[in-house]
Amino acid sequence: MDESTELSLSIAHIAQRLQGSHLHSQIERQAKVSRQLPPSHPPAPPEHLKEPLAYMRKAQASWEKRILKSLNSMSTELGVPLARKRPAAEQKELTNKWNEMGTDEPDLSRFRPVYAPKDFLEVLIGLRNPNHDSCEDISARSQWGLIQVPLNVRDIPHLRQAYSELNLNSGQLGIDDHAHVHPDLFENDYVQIGKKVVVEQDSAAAQQYSRRGCPTGLRADLWALILNSTNQPQDVMHYEQLRAGVIQHDLLVDNLIYKDVKLTASNDDYYFVFEDFLYQVLLCFSRDTAVLEHFKYNSATPPKSFLHGKVGDEEYAVVYPPNGVIPFHGFSMYVAPLCFLYNEPSKLYSVFREMYIRYFFRLHSISSSFSGIVSLCLQFERLLQSHLPQLFYHLRQIGAQPLRIAFKWMVRAFSGYLSTDQLLLLWDRILGYDSLEVVAVLAAAVFAFRAENLMEVKSLASAEAVLADLSTLKVIPLIQIFLFATAI
Amino acid sequence: MSFDFSIEGRVYPSTPKKMSEIPDGRQPVSCTVKPPVYLQIGESKAETTQSGVCVVDVTLPFGKPVSIEEITFKNYYTAYITVRLLRRTSGQDGPTKWCTALRDLLLMDNPHTERGSQDYYSIHRKQMLVEADHVVSVRLILRQPSCAWLTFSLEEIKIFPHMEPEPNKEVSDWLSDLILVDQHLDAEGLPDPQTVSSSIQQMWALTEVMQTNQTTASIGRFDVDGCYDINLLSLTAWRKTPDQKQQTQQRCPDVPLPRHLLQLLRGGAQGVPRPAKKHSPFSVSWAIPWASSRWDESGTPLEEGVQEASGIDARATSSRCGGAAALLRAPPGWANGKSG
């Protein structure tokens, strides 16, 4: 037998044995997928993958430019470089106090948050499609709300289809685990299923399961499973690497992060205990170049700079901050609730990063995505307009556009506004449905819930007062009633 | 035939692929795209009303009929497209005849809303009702029933010629060969298939990892040779125009600063006194001159009998003075915090 025959024999043999194995079925599936692909056609250009609508791309670019300009001017005014290497002594000091960065009280009075959600809202309100005929808008419904771009958003009948697991007949965590419901009716069985899902390590099952809520004891595992953050040794190593990056280099955005944590999470009754954790995670996040990957599908573009003295030299072009994300006021609230679930920093970190590159980035970049903030705003307004027209009209008449109140909730995915158990139940659904739509639904449901009081108010300030405290709300019943018990 | 079409007749939006890659290096046919003609009812008296139908003619090189493989284009607010082909029926000099290759293909889910409005599309010959051979000219009939849009058309129209298919069955041949071969085989002297398969799995996993990590991200370094000293961000983002860089250095943000904002910003320093050491939003001014000093929550005087808020949402109930006065005094909404 010559060599080539032998080789083909071995291959044949392997192929035979492969049949029936797991790998074979995977290969087969892959082959099927590739065969079903349409005949090859020219790929869309990268910017189209970031955001298909040209005017949205443009709006995002000019918004970024404003942010960059202000960062630049902050750096020049304060005489603080955007990035510098820490001297050895400083590095050592930071290493020593890594776990208690919160005790440090640097003078941050000179630093200012780059922007707040309110400023971002103004940009979204100003968005226009240049090809949209606005001459007859006076009578058109679009004029009633603040968002003027004609995106596709789902109405209640479509939402009912998409969110069928939330219907009135199926058990929900957040409703049916209430103290007065006997646990045998729903909770016990449901928790058992959850345990099974965790044992099986089945990501898809975990996602499906999460649609009806994750039990508190299993949530950390289920979320990690959905997000495929397994916290392997290499993840821990990666985290250590990032930590080293923080210790070596000092960034101006670090001060923004400090400031933001001090202003938001440290001032929050639920989250202030996590201050140190938040610094660790957010500072490491800012050094993580793996985050740059998500700019392929994010309409935002990471800021670019050139290393000191090498202006224009592409070889010395770098992204700033290394992860390309400039934190805005409230950014740390994306991390804070996760601190309740994970006490190991590397694990907390990898879950947060995954949450960010899947969901949260959409809440502060201008895009036409379903889960993008523009769509959420429009969906919120449309839901109110079609289901509570009187309320919407009333609020608009007194100068209290509902979106002006709800925007801050949505931009943070309600983090910092709900009580934590409720917030986690909401985020269960975000993960379960792989979409932020439910955030807009909840915002509308909150208005519906307080509709009676809101009809009485006479000013924006008093409307805001009515909606000031959401920490007593039970979110899942609100969503369920709004979606499935509203007459349509 | 029509049944086939209902299955095949889909337009596939361009899927993400490797971006720089041109699939199998094909070149589009050089063709002339004529300006779109918008149809009007009756006498065409200057564009008084919007038209809902538009015709775009694409002529192929004279005397060289083309067999079309696919037509690609970028949509611009067209809701439906019909493709008509002018084909030469027999030989080089035969008579030409119009036929419809595709009727009212949906490009926008909902003509009134954005989805699909600026997407890339590709129509393959398999999707067409007729054989797209010996085509002399292509007529694209575009429809947009919604009056929401000022105009509609197609951009970047390209026609790719049909190549004779090469015998493209290598993979399946290879597999069937294997199956034939292994019928008269004995397993002796071969490595343990279990081990082989598991090591292949491992290798496969490794290559997958390698593939996904091909960017700089896998190394994770953000510095260049240990240096990451940055003084200024480039405003010209990813366009390689180093010259403009110098200008940005001197230019200050050209955003005007309204006087009242300035007032607000200055006023922000005063406000309800905070416990020492705590970082209060009251002492915050904004990095961006246009940034609102009103924070993201605005002040909400207690008027409507809202219960004293606790913790998380108390910020909105805390400024006790109403309206504009509160705004001038401080960015409201943050009085609570941890103040006792």
Side-chain angles (χ1 to χ4, degrees):
Chain A
M1 217 187 284
D2 65 315
E3 227 169 69
S4 62
T5 340
E6 203 171 73
L7 183 70
S8 65
L9 273 179
S10 344
I11 294 174
H13 200 91
I14 293 162
Q16 191 188 20
R17 286 305 187 99
L18 276 179
Q19 283 175 356
S21 79
H22 179 55
L23 178 61
H24 185 266
S25 65
Q26 270 178 313
I27 295 174
E28 206 172 55
R29 206 177 309 138
Q30 196 56 47
K32 249 184 220 157
V33 170
S34 11
R35 205 191 301 166
Q36 277 172 2
L37 274 181
S40 70
H41 50 73
E47 80 262 16
H48 188 266
L49 301 178
K50 286 168 82 76
E51 166 54 48
L53 301 180
Y55 70 94
M56 289 260 183
R57 288 200 297 267
K58 214 172 143 192
Q60 172 67 28
S62 72
W63 166 242
E64 280 166 14
K65 209 163 181 174
R66 285 164 73 174
I67 296 172
L68 295 195
K69 276 183 183 174
S70 74
L71 259 188
N72 272 344
S73 63
M74 183 169 13
S75 164
T76 341
E77 274 170 36
L78 303 179
V80 179
L82 289 166
R84 65 174 178 102
K85 193 161 192 143
R86 286 183 214 271
E90 204 183 313
Q91 289 196 13
K92 203 169 170 193
E93 198 195 329
L94 183 61
T95 318
N96 289 335
K97 63 164 196 204
W98 178 259
N99 286 318
E100 44 195 44
M101 281 187 274
T103 56
D104 199 23
E105 289 278 343
D107 177 25
L108 296 171
S109 54
R110 299 183 305 154
F111 291 95
R112 300 153 294 176
V114 185
Y115 68 94
K118 207 163 186 104
D119 311 307
F120 189 48
L121 175 61
E122 293 305 322
V123 177
L124 301 189
I125 291 172
L127 267 181
R128 293 287 182 280
N129 178 345
N131 191 36
H132 196 241
D133 190 359
S134 48
C135 62
E136 48 181 8
D137 258 2
I138 302 128
S139 59
R141 60 176 172 167
S142 59
Q143 187 65 18
W144 294 101
L146 292 174
I147 300 295
Q148 297 291 324
V149 282
L151 296 177
N152 301 52
V153 290
R154 291 198 258 206
D155 52 9
I156 286 196
H158 286 111
L159 286 169
R160 280 184 188 175
Q161 277 174 9
Y163 289 80
S164 57
E165 288 86 353
L166 298 183
N167 73 35
L168 299 167
N169 299 322
S170 52
Q172 301 288 331
L173 286 188
I175 299 175
D176 301 289
D177 54 338
H178 196 268
H180 64 73
V181 182
H182 195 276
D184 277 346
L185 283 176
F186 166 73
E187 199 183 352
N188 286 349
D189 286 348
Y190 190 72
V191 172
Q192 283 309 316
I193 299 171
K195 284 181 182 157
K196 236 185 216 168
V197 171
V198 172
V199 170
E200 294 283 324
Q201 285 291 298
D202 186 335
S203 182
Q207 187 160 27
Q208 179 65 32
Y209 183 82
S210 184
R211 294 181 170 195
R212 289 160 69 191
C214 298
T216 314
L218 300 174
R219 184 174 281 126
D221 289 333
L222 286 166
W223 283 19
L225 198 53
I226 296 171
L227 297 165
N228 292 323
S229 353
T230 42
N231 204 29
Q232 302 283 317
Q234 60 262 39
D235 297 328
V236 180
M237 208 172 77
H238 181 63
Y239 181 75
E240 287 303 317
Q241 244 177 15
L242 299 175
R243 206 180 83 128
V246 177
I247 287 167
Q248 277 163 16
H249 296 278
D250 183 25
L251 308 185
L252 187 137
V253 287
D254 293 356
N255 295 304
L256 300 179
I257 292 169
Y258 273 117
K259 186 95 181 183
D260 186 50
V261 172
K262 295 275 183 209
L263 289 176
T264 55
S266 304
N267 273 340
D268 191 296
D269 283 354
Y270 293 99
Y271 302 121
F272 71 96
V273 285
F274 300 121
E275 193 179 342
D276 295 327
F277 260 18
L278 293 175
Y279 292 133
Q280 291 174 19
V281 167
L282 286 167
L283 292 180
C284 286
F285 181 67
S286 70
R287 265 69 166 184
D288 194 348
T289 51
V291 178
L292 294 175
E293 279 287 299
H294 93 288
F295 286 105
K296 278 184 189 160
Y297 51 91
N298 179 356
S299 63
T301 306
K304 193 178 145 185
S305 181
F306 296 95
L307 289 183
H308 196 43
K310 306 280 185 188
V311 169
D313 189 340
E314 285 298 315
E315 247 179 65
Y316 292 90
V318 287
V319 170
Y320 181 88
N323 71 346
V325 181
I326 295 175
F328 65 98
H329 170 62
F331 193 86
S332 48
M333 294 311 275
Y334 293 144
V335 193
L338 300 174
C339 297
F340 278 101
L341 301 183
Y342 306 96
N343 54 15
E344 200 183 325
S346 67
K347 178 108 184 171
L348 168 66
Y349 176 74
S350 60
V351 168
F352 162 66
R353 187 182 68 186
E354 207 52 40
M355 290 284 275
Y356 182 80
I357 63 173
R358 288 195 193 196
Y359 308 109
F360 296 146
F361 76 89
R362 297 203 185 277
L363 293 175
H364 49 92
S365 48
I366 304 170
S367 81
S368 59
S369 155
F370 251 129
S371 281
I373 188 69
V374 190
S375 296
L376 297 186
C377 290
L378 187 64
Q379 182 156 31
F380 164 76
E381 290 195 323
R382 290 279 163 82
L383 286 174
L384 276 193
Q385 285 162 0
S386 29
H387 299 284
L388 297 155
Q390 282 170 330
L391 175 65
F392 193 92
Y393 181 77
H394 170 70
L395 290 175
R396 188 176 167 274
Q397 287 306 100
I398 60 165
Q401 272 282 0
L403 184 58
R404 291 205 184 270
I405 300 169
F407 187 75
K408 55 182 182 286
W409 307 335
M410 294 199 283
V411 105
R412 288 188 192 172
F414 279 95
S415 175
Y417 295 98
L418 300 171
S419 65
T420 44
D421 59 326
Q422 297 300 310
L423 181 80
L424 295 173
L425 286 168
L426 175 72
W427 285 14
D428 280 345
R429 272 67 181 187
I430 294 179
L431 286 165
Y433 290 98
D434 197 23
S435 158
L436 289 161
E437 255 180 325
V438 68
V439 169
V441 175
L442 175 61
V446 169
F447 272 76
F449 183 60
R450 297 261 162 98
E452 260 179 59
N453 302 40
L454 287 171
M455 285 302 282
E456 314 266 307
V457 300
K458 299 280 185 297
S459 70
L460 172 65
S462 38
E464 277 178 328
V466 169
L467 295 165
D469 182 10
L470 307 186
S471 62
T472 54
L473 297 181
K474 300 276 177 249
V475 295
I476 303 305
L478 282 186
I479 294 174
Q480 193 179 53
I481 290 168
F482 189 77
L483 282 184
F484 292 94
T486 307
I488 50 171
Chain B
M1 194 63 198
S2 60
F3 177 69
D4 276 356
F5 169 65
S6 67
I7 294 168
E8 292 282 341
R10 286 199 295 152
V11 164
Y12 301 96
S14 295
T15 46
K17 278 192 188 173
K18 290 211 176 113
M19 319 219 166
S20 54
E21 185 180 278
I22 299 169
D24 42 51
R26 290 180 308 162
Q27 288 297 319
V29 183
S30 66
C31 51
T32 320
V33 181
K34 296 198 177 146
V37 177
Y38 294 88
L39 303 189
Q40 298 280 357
I41 296 174
E43 305 275 306
S44 60
K45 322 165 213 143
E47 290 156 33
T48 44
T49 51
Q50 285 178 31
S51 165
V53 184
C54 168
V55 177
V56 177
D57 274 335
V58 182
T59 51
L60 294 162
F62 183 72
K64 277 190 275 177
V66 175
S67 296
I68 296 175
E69 173 80 9
E70 74 181 323
I71 304 172
T72 68
F73 55 86
K74 181 176 188 250
N75 189 19
Y76 192 76
Y77 295 94
T78 299
Y80 304 93
I81 184 172
T82 296
V83 179
R84 301 203 76 202
L85 304 175
L86 184 60
R87 293 188 303 173
R88 212 171 273 286
T89 41
S90 58
Q92 277 290 11
D93 307 314
T96 55
K97 199 177 168 213
W98 281 105
C99 54
T100 303
L102 202 56
R103 185 166 281 135
D104 283 342
L105 191 67
L106 187 75
L107 302 183
M108 288 167 73
D109 280 357
N110 175 349
H112 303 291
T113 56
E114 294 275 10
R115 199 172 328 128
S117 63
Q118 297 187 29
D119 278 355
Y120 285 82
Y121 287 95
S122 146
I123 300 170
H124 194 263
R125 64 186 277 125
K126 281 187 186 159
Q127 295 168 253
M128 297 184 191
L129 295 167
V130 294
E131 294 289 328
D133 292 329
H134 312 295
V135 179
V136 181
S137 178
V138 179
R139 176 166 288 175
L140 304 170
I141 301 167
L142 320 178
R143 287 173 213 275
Q144 178 47 275
S146 169
C147 59
W149 317 108
L150 297 175
T151 182
F152 61 97
S153 60
L154 299 183
E155 295 165 358
E156 301 175 34
I157 300 171
K158 284 181 195 145
I159 294 174
F160 290 92
H162 179 57
M163 308 288 187
E164 274 310 304
E166 292 154 30
N168 198 13
K169 292 182 175 173
E170 289 140 42
V171 178
S172 53
D173 284 352
W174 178 76
L175 278 176
S176 52
D177 279 355
L178 287 178
I179 291 154
L180 282 179
V181 175
D182 74 20
Q183 280 169 349
H184 33 88
L185 256 194
D186 62 341
E188 255 168 74
L190 291 174
D192 174 30
Q194 287 295 336
T195 343
V196 176
S197 94
S198 72
S199 68
I200 289 183
Q201 284 207 39
Q202 224 162 20
M203 274 164 61
W204 185 53
L206 275 176
T207 52
E208 286 289 307
V209 170
M210 293 295 288
Q211 271 178 353
T212 51
N213 283 357
Q214 266 173 353
T215 55
T216 51
S218 63
I219 312 163
R221 294 199 73 93
F222 53 85
D223 50 351
V224 177
D225 304 331
C227 174
Y228 192 70
D229 291 350
I230 296 171
N231 283 334
L232 212 57
L233 295 173
S234 169
L235 295 182
T236 48
W238 294 102
R239 260 166 260 132
K240 297 188 179 179
T241 47
D243 302 345
Q244 292 174 17
K245 190 65 184 60
Q246 298 296 337
Q247 298 169 4
T248 60
Q249 236 150 3
Q250 287 117 36
R251 267 177 43 211
C252 291
D254 50 11
V255 188
L257 181 62
R259 187 165 298 163
H260 67 279
L261 263 183
L262 203 68
Q263 211 174 2
L264 287 172
L265 287 168
R266 294 213 182 105
Q270 311 145 10
V272 183
R274 296 270 306 172
K277 283 178 74 185
K278 266 292 169 194
H279 291 260
S280 154
F282 279 71
S283 59
V284 167
S285 51
W286 293 92
I288 308 187
W290 39 264
S292 70
S293 58
R294 289 187 55 191
W295 212 259
D296 55 336
E297 285 97 77
S298 56
T300 43
L302 284 167
E303 284 176 14
E304 300 284 329
V306 171
Q307 75 270 45
E308 198 62 56
S310 61
I312 204 155
D313 253 296
R315 47 187 90 95
T317 55
S318 47
S319 340
R320 319 256 152 172
C321 41
L327 289 177
L328 284 172
R329 291 253 316 272
W334 279 86
N336 162 291
K338 293 270 172 283
S339 59

